[in-house]
Amino acid sequence: MKKINAVPVALGRDYPITIHDLGSHGEGVGRYEGFTVFVAGALPGETVRATILTLKKKYAVGDLREIITASPDRVTPPKGYYPEVGIYPLVTWDYEAQLRWKRERVAHLLTHIGGIDVAVEPVIGMADPFHYRNKIQVPVGLRDGRPAIGFYERQSHDIVDMTTCLLQDPATNRLLAAVRKIRAELSTEPYDERAGTGVLRHVVGRTGEGGKVMAILVTATRELPDKERWIERLREEVPELVSLYQNIQKERTNVILGKTMKHLWGHGVLAATIGDLRFALSPGSFFQVNPVQTRVLYETALQAARLTGQETVIDAYCGTGTISLFLARQAQRVIGVEKFAPAVKDARNNARLNGLDNASFIAGDTAEVLPQLAAQGVTPDVIVMDPARAGCDEKVLATVADWQPSRIVYVSCNPATLARDASYLATRGYAVTHVQPVDMFPHTTHIETVALLSRRTDEAHTG
């Protein structure tokens, strides 16, 4: 009879754990006597002491108690760091070490999932990897019976009362501080998630061109008490404010925004730019949260597309058309496809705003629309795909391969599904010829990658 090895750790006890990698949420992945233990806050190359909090057959989760041997790349984060919040798990790791790990991660997944052996370029990072997010969404509620505004504690719905966030634009941090101050002044009741009572449940803010701010106060009530005072005081405390909305979310749900949006004051839209392209953002518009790196990402995709002005380009999963408009300036024709109808409406408005009449947009499921375009005789020279984390539907990949475009530019937010999809396309005559990661979200494990797939008969002509 085969001997079954006993689990070498026990609940509630401390063990020295040697950390060798990071998990998908930025937690340290280590081993004790060959048994896998996840430890949040631990970095690769460290030995830590951790208390076992969760124990399964194949792994355990430990709570970091002591760093026995620190990584040479461990750094002290700036003031305003809240270690109990899980939104920036790598902030204690030197930024260059983060970029090296992300490059290695992309290469590893391409090889082990996709069987793709290709050189991965060094990750394009940021000169200043802090305060890059132009959007903030924070809950307002109770913590131990007291009002709290901030992000949730890791793996919980307990709000960490925060005064600032290291990743947020300074203007949205000022909005956070202003809401905290005004809520106290006006005694606006915070939302009690457990009881389903109270008024103010979320604050949403976004910065646009020139640092201007759009704010949304999400309430559980139809009316915002002291509405006029809220408007007056927010304008005083946040000089950058140009647009204010109230959103009503009465449902007991984790969905932040409800269906009803009331315009309280200021402009109806927020002006934003990426490079020299202009965008008008409504409260529900999707827009990349790191404008500096978004420009880098899109210019990287544009460079990979190698457009001459003669091409028909399809932008699958086009969202609000941001990549489409970058492409339209150098292509003969761009067709964007997006399932979410409000995003298509925004895309059309943004095309008009920028005077680009060679970009058109279709609302519909990409897996259904692409075969329809093929049946209509559309023959794209280049296809750009920017799917969600789940990657592309195989029906989409099959249609793309049937078209046989010279180049496929795959913009990925998940290197695992990029590797899977590239592996499928390899069976249909395409090879990954260039891979360029871009760090859109410093101090997190998220990785954006632009991959160029070239038709094998064209490989000799790729750059």
Side-chain angles (χ1 to χ4, degrees), residues 288-457:
Q288 292 281 7
V289 299
N290 185 337
V292 172
Q293 291 297 87
T294 296
R295 179 176 181 176
V296 172
L297 182 74
Y298 291 174
E299 288 178 346
T300 301
L302 184 61
Q303 184 178 19
R306 301 199 327 274
L307 301 177
T308 66
Q310 304 302 311
E311 295 86 1
T312 293
V313 182
I314 287 181
D315 181 12
Y317 312 99
C318 71
T320 55
T322 44
I323 292 182
S324 302
L325 301 188
F326 266 73
L327 297 165
R329 294 183 303 175
Q330 295 188 23
Q332 183 178 80
R333 178 190 183 194
V334 175
I335 303 170
V337 182
E338 169 59 44
K339 186 175 183 178
F340 188 51
V344 171
K345 181 180 178 181
D346 285 340
R348 290 169 179 158
N349 289 337
N350 290 328
R352 284 192 292 269
L353 185 63
N354 288 279
L356 294 168
D357 58 7
N358 62 333
S360 59
F361 300 93
I362 300 171
D365 189 327
T366 305
E368 297 173 2
V369 172
L370 294 194
Q372 292 169 6
L373 290 173
Q376 294 165 16
V378 175
T379 54
D381 304 288
V382 177
I383 295 179
V384 176
M385 300 188 291
D386 184 10
R389 290 189 60 80
C392 294
D393 187 296
E394 189 170 314
K395 188 176 179 181
V396 170
L397 296 174
T399 304
V400 167
D402 287 343
W403 258 319
Q404 289 289 292
S406 295
R407 294 174 296 285
I408 301 169
V409 180
Y410 195 127
V411 182
S412 167
C413 61
N414 183 352
T417 51
L418 165 63
R420 181 202 66 200
D421 293 349
S423 178
Y424 173 88
L425 291 168
T427 68
R428 299 294 305 274
Y430 285 86
V432 178
T433 56
H434 188 74
V435 179
Q436 178 61 73
V438 177
D439 194 25
M440 292 280 287
F441 306 101
H443 310 299
T444 78
T445 56
H446 296 296
I447 311 169
E448 295 275 341
T449 308
V450 177
L452 172 62
L453 292 93
S454 303
R455 201 167 54 200
R456 285 204 173 91
T457 55

Side-chain angles (χ1 to χ4, degrees), residues 143-164:
R143 177 74 183 257
D144 298 326
R146 303 178 68 176
I149 302 177
F151 295 102
Y152 291 118
E153 190 171 333
R154 257 194 318 265
Q155 297 180 333
S156 81
H157 261 230
D158 294 328
I159 298 173
V160 177
D161 200 31
M162 300 172 65
T163 57
T164 187

Side-chain angles (χ1 to χ4, degrees), residues 108-117 416 418-424 426:
H108 172 81
L109 291 171
L110 285 172
T111 300
H112 286 79
I113 293 178
I116 298 164
D117 184 15
L418 165 63
R420 181 202 66 200
D421 293 349
S423 178
Y424 173 88

Side-chain angles (χ1 to χ4, degrees), residues 169-184:
D169 183 285
T172 52
N173 272 328
R174 283 192 287 277
L175 174 65
L176 182 65
V179 170
R180 174 188 303 280
K181 182 177 181 180
I182 298 165
R183 189 219 62 78

